[in-house]
Amino acid sequence: MSRQALVLFSGGQDSTTCLAWALDRCEHVETVGFDYGQRHRIELDCRGQVRDRLAREFPAWAERLGPDHLLPIEVLGRISDTALTSDAEIALRADGLPNTFVPGRNLLFLTLAAALAYRRGITVVVGGMCETDYSGYPDCRDSTMKAMQLALTLGTDRPFEVATPLMWLDKAATWELAHRLGGDALVEIVREDTHTCYRGERGQMHAWGHGCGACPACELRANGYAKWSATGRA
Ligand code: ZN
């Protein structure tokens, strides 16, 4: 693993765990987020909060945490009519994919992140893609990530690595990874400051964090937390 990494950081549980993972093993870590006209801006607001709290509570990580980059890509909202960028209800489509699927989103994110990383002298891009507990998004698959890594390497003539530490973890294991990396302090940051809810609701504070509690993202997060609390928590 290179000593420098750029983390795709949305302010959610998965990308926060990825950020901690990178801070644990790299000397210099930068973050990038994308503003594509999400229905709810709560995730974007969480980003600064999470970064600040990580730096405050983990002084060794503070030294490694480099700048944050927020890239506006409204064009994605223009070409995508999905439940993430419009006011449509969240539902399953006829082919089994949720209508929250934004075609090409992760491909675009990785390409933009790699372009930014290139300019920053970084060749490792870290993302929270996962095909264990996922919604079936084809652009979260390991094979897609491997193909992107090859395309980025060939297309830039730099040895790009797309690191996906959560790829084979279920949500309970993602909670456990956070605990292993940063103990109870990191779990508290994930619980209190990250945002995963598709509906963008902060709502009340549950054991697993804030959210509506009913959308697919909240369900995954809540079930994972319950499973980890019951069986995995050291
Ligand atoms: Zn929710």
Side-chain angles (χ1 to χ4, degrees):
M1 181 93 175
S2 155
R3 311 306 292 165
Q4 302 192 31
L6 176 66
V7 179
L8 298 175
F9 181 56
S10 70
Q13 175 185 0
D14 292 348
S15 66
T16 296
T17 307
C18 285
L19 176 54
W21 180 88
L23 288 166
D24 183 58
R25 68 198 61 220
C26 301
E27 279 169 4
H28 178 81
V29 179
E30 301 187 7
T31 51
V32 61
F34 302 97
D35 183 354
Y36 54 97
Q38 292 93 322
R39 283 208 294 194
H40 311 293
R41 304 190 49 86
I42 288 178
E43 265 204 8
L44 293 181
D45 296 339
C46 288
R47 299 175 73 255
Q49 241 167 283
V50 170
R51 277 178 50 101
D52 290 349
R53 200 165 157 195
L54 284 175
R56 211 165 49 236
E57 298 190 19
F58 297 89
W61 289 355
E63 290 173 20
R64 300 173 170 193
L65 186 58
D68 179 42
H69 312 270
L70 186 63
L71 303 181
I73 47 168
E74 298 91 348
V75 64
L76 195 58
R78 296 265 186 93
I79 56 178
S80 299
D81 180 21
T82 80
L84 281 189
T85 51
S86 71
D87 288 329
E89 268 301 301
I90 297 162
L92 280 188
R93 309 187 322 194
D95 62 1
L97 268 182
N99 61 348
T100 46
F101 177 58
V102 181
R105 179 171 54 168
N106 281 337
L107 309 182
L108 193 56
F109 284 1
L110 280 169
T111 304
L112 292 170
L116 175 66
Y118 185 102
R119 300 300 295 266
R120 306 285 302 164
I122 297 172
T123 54
V124 178
V125 176
V126 183
M129 298 80 175
C130 166
E131 70 168 74
T132 308
D133 244 3
Y134 74 148
S135 306
Y137 294 165
D139 62 345
C140 289
R141 288 179 192 150
D142 190 51
S143 50
T144 306
M145 294 302 109
K146 294 280 196 302
M148 281 305 289
Q149 179 171 287
L150 181 60
L152 295 171
T153 295
L154 292 173
T156 60
D157 206 18
R158 294 272 169 91
F160 265 101
E161 179 186 343
V162 176
T164 52
L166 310 186
M167 184 57 73
W168 308 113
L169 305 184
D170 65 11
K171 275 280 187 257
T174 300
W175 283 104
E176 174 55 24
L177 176 60
H179 193 254
R180 189 157 60 72
L181 291 166
D184 289 342
L186 182 57
V187 170
E188 284 310 292
I189 293 175
V190 172
R191 263 170 29 93
E192 292 169 9
D193 290 330
T194 70
H195 184 84
T196 315
C197 177
Y198 277 148
R199 295 199 175 113
E201 284 180 23
R202 286 300 280 165
Q204 65 181 103
M205 178 72 187
H206 307 270
W208 45 269
H210 291 280
C212 76
C215 75
C218 281
E219 271 179 24
L220 269 178
R221 178 168 166 149
N223 290 343
Y225 187 84
K227 182 179 165 198
W228 174 61
S229 299
T231 61
R233 189 162 195 166

